[in-house]
Amino acid sequence: MAQPITTTLDPEQQRIAGEALNGAVVDLIDLTLIAKQAHWNVIGERFRTVHLALDELVEDARDFTDKAAERATAIGVSPDGRASTVADSSGAKGFPGGWQRDVDVTDAIIGNLAAVVQRMRGRIEATEKADPVTQDLFIEITARLEQLHWMWEAQQG
């Protein structure tokens, strides 16, 4: 198929921004899936608090996934959020199957948020010159993920 969406970015700018956006889509989809898996399987004294905090994380990650995918589309890059792509390329740490104690869920979410934030910071740097608009989106996403990371760490008290 011919390129249906054009961009004012030059091909190299488009490539850099597109790769970064597709990487963000993958990581954010995986973060959403990890948080949902944890949401369904958390047990323990802090069940309700952790369960509700996971809902908040899922909502934010889904929103950011959509923003990153739509930005990719806006610059003429087809976003790739297929399950096989996510499984092959996510930088998140993952989450075990089965019931998980609330403290273990908290630790896992902190680790996954840190891994995704680290990769997002790399994308901020990569898009600085190539596409400042995409960089702004990454800054917005990273700021919120860092805030969530802090809030999850604070639960460890």
Side-chain angles (χ1 to χ4, degrees):
M1 171 184 272
Q3 185 71 13
I5 310 297
T6 60
T7 181
T8 58
L9 297 177
D10 70 39
E12 182 62 7
Q13 291 171 313
Q14 183 187 39
R15 183 193 65 75
I16 292 167
E19 286 177 6
L21 287 160
N22 265 321
V25 166
V26 164
D27 286 351
L28 292 165
I29 287 171
D30 202 17
L31 186 60
T32 300
L33 295 171
I34 288 165
K36 273 318 244 184
Q37 180 68 20
H39 173 86
W40 297 321
N41 287 286
V42 64
I43 57 172
E45 293 178 13
R46 295 183 311 129
F47 162 80
R48 184 154 175 76
T49 301
V50 172
H51 190 75
L52 294 174
L54 288 163
D55 278 337
E56 179 181 20
L57 175 56
V58 166
E59 184 178 327
D60 286 342
R62 282 181 177 160
D63 180 52
F64 291 143
T65 301
D66 197 50
K67 286 180 178 182
E70 287 183 355
R71 177 67 189 153
T73 302
I75 64 167
V77 173
S78 174
D80 187 356
R82 295 172 297 161
S84 60
T85 304
V86 173
D88 290 342
S89 357
S90 175
K93 293 184 169 219
F95 191 81
W99 304 115
Q100 301 295 318
R101 302 284 314 161
D102 49 14
V103 295
D104 297 327
V105 168
T106 299
D107 288 344
I109 294 301
I110 290 167
N112 278 289
L113 281 166
V116 172
V117 164
Q118 183 178 18
R119 286 171 54 109
M120 291 302 296
R121 285 190 160 275
R123 292 177 184 113
I124 289 169
E125 189 175 316
T127 56
E128 179 180 10
K129 287 186 173 45
D131 185 16
V133 176
T134 296
Q135 183 193 43
D136 283 349
L137 176 60
F138 289 149
I139 290 169
E140 173 193 350
I141 292 169
T142 304
R144 177 60 177 152
L145 293 177
E146 287 179 339
Q147 181 185 38
L148 288 167
H149 183 264
W150 152 59
M151 291 178 175
W152 278 92
E153 278 192 321
Q155 289 187 54
Q156 290 178 319

